[in-house]
Amino acid sequence: ENDKQSGVNIKPFGQCRLKPIPGGFLPCVPAPVSWQNTTTKDEINGCKIVLDSSICPCSSGGEIRVTDKGHAGNHEAG
């Protein structure tokens, strides 16, 4: 749930359809608020885990959703 840093964990999405200008839209600058629908019990370093179904409201409007978990699969330490 701490993975909500604009430009680090959440990259810009191109143009922001909520910020029209003549001839198009302003660039997207994500402004995440806080993740919702995270795990209820499991935590990593004291923070709830973001799920595929989690959403994070953007203070500019709209919602940020998980599209890429950021890892290629399960790995076991040995």
Side-chain angles (χ1 to χ4, degrees):
E1 68 187 332
N2 277 349
D3 291 343
K4 59 179 182 182
Q5 299 169 343
S6 181
V8 177
N9 310 112
I10 301 173
K11 304 292 183 186
F13 300 102
Q15 296 180 331
C16 180
R17 292 181 279 156
L18 299 173
K19 296 182 179 180
I21 58 171
F25 301 93
L26 288 174
C28 169
V29 179
V33 178
S34 63
W35 285 102
Q36 301 170 357
N37 302 330
T38 57
T39 56
T40 56
K41 295 181 182 179
D42 297 325
E43 296 182 351
I44 296 176
N45 297 326
C47 297
K48 301 291 183 189
I49 301 168
V50 173
L51 306 168
D52 288 343
S53 58
S54 298
I55 59 170
C56 184
C58 178
S59 65
S60 297
E63 294 179 340
I64 299 164
R65 297 179 179 270
V66 175
T67 58
D68 181 358
K69 295 179 186 179
H71 62 82
N74 295 330
H75 300 282
E76 293 183 25

